[in-house]
Amino acid sequence: MSAYLEIAGVNHSFGGLQALNDCGFAIAEGGIACLVGPNGAGKTTIFNVITGFLRPDTGHVAFRGRPLDGLTPQAIVRAGIARSFQNLRLFADLTACDNVMLALPERAGETPFGALFRPFATARADRRRRGDALQLLDHVGLAARAADRVRNLSYGEQKLLTIARLLATGAELLLLDEPASGLASGALDQVMALLRRLRGEGKTLLVVEHNTRVVQQIADEVLFLHQGHLLAQGSPAQIIADPALAEIYFGGAL
Amino acid sequence: MDYLYSYLILAEIYVLLGLSTNLLVGVVGIFSVSQAAVFGVGAYIVGDCLLSGTLSFLPALALAAVACVLLNVLISLPSLRVSGDYFVVTSFGIQLLATATFTNWTWGTGGANGMPGVPPPDLFGASIESTRGILALTTMAMTLGCLAFWLILRAPFGRKLRAIREDELAVAAAGKGVLGAKVSAAAMAGAFAGVAGGLYATYLSFIDPSSFDLDASILLLTMVVVGGARTLWGSILGPFLLLALPQALTLLAIPTTYAATSRQLLYGGLLIAFALFRPQGLLGERL
């Protein structure tokens, strides 16, 4: 049986820097896998490779047994994989609701032709989309901020909004780049609860996370990346207990 | 009365150009400083067709629109590769190239002497000679343009265009195509400018390169900045206001030799003042 998401033999260099070095791992469907490793380990780079934003020098990515090599980011979203960004990349001038609506899958009436020549059908379709978007906002606890511009949301609310936007794509595998970083404890708990809830709803999550406390609390499985290579994969307890990994992670501070 | 009509006709034509510029620069964020060049191509095509008698007004206008769609898509293409500041430089070059062509291609444009004697517009065989008739025509064109702009902005397609201006990569990550949307917007902006050019040529019956030079492109940007980006009302107010100002200046009894200079001074001053103190324009958003 082929793995749910499988990465094999991926190499990629930026100039002289080898960001990914024979990187390979597989994750199973369902559950939360955390990708950890020191800065520069290649965590975001492998996200870019999986989601089609970066074409690796060599190597393959397959999802549900289907190769994704050479697909555009759009095609990969349609295949069922969507990602968030560490620096959020929300549309700051749009409302929270518009941010989510934009990511809903395309339907009829989204072309300029439809907008011009079938305005009523387009408006009806858009009202339905607004309803869907509001539901998703409600799901992440942002229903009250739907009509607010993103630039007026708090950082914690913006982080929740990136997750709502991710859900809007309809993808089943969500790649989250540091969803919990920079959050105060209240917002942090909210994000962690949301991630667990998504797992309960059948989503599969691959999460880049630095905070070991968060990793311990949410991860079903931990993948340890170092110098662009998968060093270890196991349960959170196994990985955190490994003194060699701690040495790498904390740079010999222990 | 004719004086008022003349102002209204020109303002309405410039509203079409304002919509074109606002769509491209304000909504999608393709910072073009060559929209007057596209306007000029539309004007010369209609002028040539009517002068030579090859086409009547509506087919000539359609031809100009199609040509300007293609041209605007073509000159917006670099924006898909080079971003922001670099595109401005590219676009600046395109504008200079266009002005040089308008000025030197004597056979096609009449060169620096201009193209005199463009016949008035005609509809279904009847020539529209009266100012009032032309006003009706430009009002209709402007209304259709405004309607199209409004429909686009309120549709999901408009939301996508706004999002592209903010962050193309995030649009791609949301599973949406960027290229097609940008090309469509450029095409629409081209059509607006082409139609505006055709109306301009037939109304004035004389066109020359000075209406389609860099100053004209910057005037269009000033209209968007003053009126306000990304709103219909901003796109309407900008042209009406900026074309009224020179008329107001004539009341100040400035000697005619200084009139043109004072107009440029006024426009330049407005552009700076709005950029510094009211970047969202009168009725819109920040460019």
Side-chain angles (χ1 to χ4, degrees):
Chain A
M1 189 193 111
S2 61
Y4 184 63
L5 176 73
E6 186 163 22
I7 289 120
V10 172
N11 285 285
H12 193 78
S13 301
F14 297 110
L17 178 79
Q18 178 120 26
L20 293 173
N21 179 13
D22 189 26
C23 185
F25 59 84
I27 62 170
E29 184 171 1
I32 300 177
C34 279
L35 198 56
V36 303
N39 286 330
K43 303 182 294 287
T44 298
T45 308
I46 195 68
F47 265 27
N48 286 337
V49 168
I50 296 170
T51 51
F53 282 92
L54 189 66
R55 201 152 289 179
D57 298 337
T58 61
H60 303 285
V61 177
F63 180 58
R64 290 188 176 280
R66 175 191 166 196
L68 300 181
D69 310 320
L71 293 187
T72 61
Q74 273 173 276
I76 289 172
V77 172
R78 277 198 297 272
I81 305 178
R83 59 93 54 94
S84 71
F85 296 91
Q86 197 180 336
N87 54 352
L88 310 191
R89 289 186 168 267
L90 289 166
F91 308 113
D93 275 344
L94 302 188
T95 64
C97 192
D98 276 341
N99 267 266
V100 176
M101 285 171 83
L102 183 102
L104 289 166
E106 306 226 351
R107 287 197 207 130
E110 252 186 70
T111 60
F113 187 84
L116 289 175
F117 300 106
R118 290 187 301 150
F120 297 107
T122 303
R124 266 199 309 278
D126 212 40
R127 271 197 297 279
R128 278 198 299 276
R129 296 165 66 84
R130 190 164 296 276
D132 294 348
L134 287 174
Q135 256 177 5
L136 285 167
L137 284 171
D138 188 45
H139 199 57
V140 303
L142 287 178
R145 307 303 307 262
D148 293 323
R149 284 193 192 217
V150 168
R151 61 172 73 262
N152 299 327
L153 301 186
S154 74
Y155 187 63
E157 288 171 328
Q158 292 190 10
K159 288 226 151 192
L160 290 169
L161 182 58
T162 61
I163 297 176
R165 192 170 71 174
L166 209 51
L167 290 173
T169 62
E172 49 175 296
L173 171 59
L174 308 179
L175 273 52
L176 294 134
D177 204 344
E178 304 207 15
S181 67
L183 292 181
S185 63
L188 186 65
D189 290 340
Q190 210 180 345
V191 167
M192 285 198 293
L194 175 60
L195 297 185
R196 285 198 207 92
R197 188 143 43 92
L198 296 179
R199 172 179 58 191
E201 289 161 8
K203 301 279 186 194
T204 306
L205 283 77
L206 179 60
V207 183
V208 167
E209 189 47 67
H210 274 295
N211 185 332
T212 45
R213 184 172 77 85
V214 174
V215 172
Q216 272 174 300
Q217 289 192 28
I218 65 168
D220 297 306
E221 188 176 37
V222 178
L223 300 99
F224 194 103
L225 217 57
H226 180 50
Q227 293 175 349
H229 187 76
L230 184 83
L231 218 55
Q233 184 167 7
S235 72
Q238 279 172 326
I239 300 290
I240 285 164
D242 189 327
L245 297 180
E247 169 79 17
I248 292 169
Y249 195 75
F250 296 108
L254 286 177
Chain B
M1 208 58 187
D2 268 1
Y3 187 69
L4 176 69
Y5 283 168
S6 153
Y7 161 70
L8 289 177
I9 288 168
L10 282 177
E12 289 179 345
I13 291 171
Y14 271 90
V15 167
L16 281 175
L17 292 167
L19 292 171
S20 165
T21 312
N22 208 340
L23 189 64
L24 207 58
V25 181
V27 179
V28 199
I30 299 177
F31 208 100
S32 162
V33 291
S34 54
Q35 281 314 95
V38 183
F39 174 46
V41 168
Y44 281 118
I45 286 178
V46 171
D48 262 332
C49 286
L50 293 189
L51 271 174
S52 65
T54 34
L55 290 174
S56 62
F57 176 67
L58 278 184
L61 202 61
L63 178 68
V66 170
C68 290
V69 163
L70 296 177
L71 179 71
N72 209 34
V73 167
L74 197 69
I75 65 183
S76 303
L77 279 182
S79 79
L80 306 172
R81 288 263 163 236
V82 298
S83 58
D85 308 346
Y86 284 97
F87 180 73
V88 180
V89 177
T90 317
S91 170
F92 184 69
I94 289 165
Q95 175 65 58
L96 295 184
L97 203 67
T99 304
T101 310
F102 294 155
T103 315
N104 295 302
W105 187 34
T106 323
W107 178 80
T109 66
N113 293 331
M115 181 188 277
V118 178
D122 59 277
L123 281 183
F124 314 111
S127 170
I128 303 174
E129 308 268 357
S130 74
T131 319
R132 201 180 285 200
I134 292 179
L135 180 61
L137 186 68
T138 53
T139 305
M140 198 166 69
M142 179 190 73
T143 310
L144 283 176
C146 288
L147 182 68
F149 185 85
W150 181 73
L151 285 174
I152 286 288
L153 273 202
R154 69 193 281 275
F157 179 67
R159 185 181 302 123
K160 182 152 89 173
L161 294 180
R162 288 161 176 267
I164 287 173
R165 183 186 67 89
E166 289 203 52
D167 194 335
E168 278 182 39
L169 206 65
V171 175
K176 299 296 164 98
V178 171
L179 184 88
K182 275 185 152 183
V183 168
S184 307
M188 233 178 110
F192 284 179
V195 170
L199 293 170
Y200 187 80
T202 50
Y203 170 58
L204 289 185
S205 90
F206 171 79
I207 49 176
D208 74 346
S210 72
S211 304
F212 317 115
D213 60 6
L214 186 65
D215 282 353
S217 277
I218 290 173
L219 173 62
L220 294 178
L221 285 173
T222 312
M223 287 173 174
V224 172
V225 169
V226 170
R230 292 187 286 292
T231 61
L232 177 60
W233 292 116
S235 313
I236 295 172
L237 182 69
F240 271 93
L241 198 66
L242 261 73
L243 290 185
L245 284 177
Q247 316 301 336
L249 275 185
T250 57
L251 299 178
L252 294 178
I254 295 170
T256 45
T257 39
Y258 298 122
T261 326
S262 58
R263 195 168 61 215
Q264 288 305 327
L265 273 176
L266 187 69
Y267 288 154
L270 271 177
L271 191 56
I272 293 171
F274 270 84
L276 285 179
F277 303 115
R278 199 171 163 87
Q280 73 274 37
L282 293 171
L283 291 175
E285 299 173 27
R286 183 184 282 266
L287 192 66

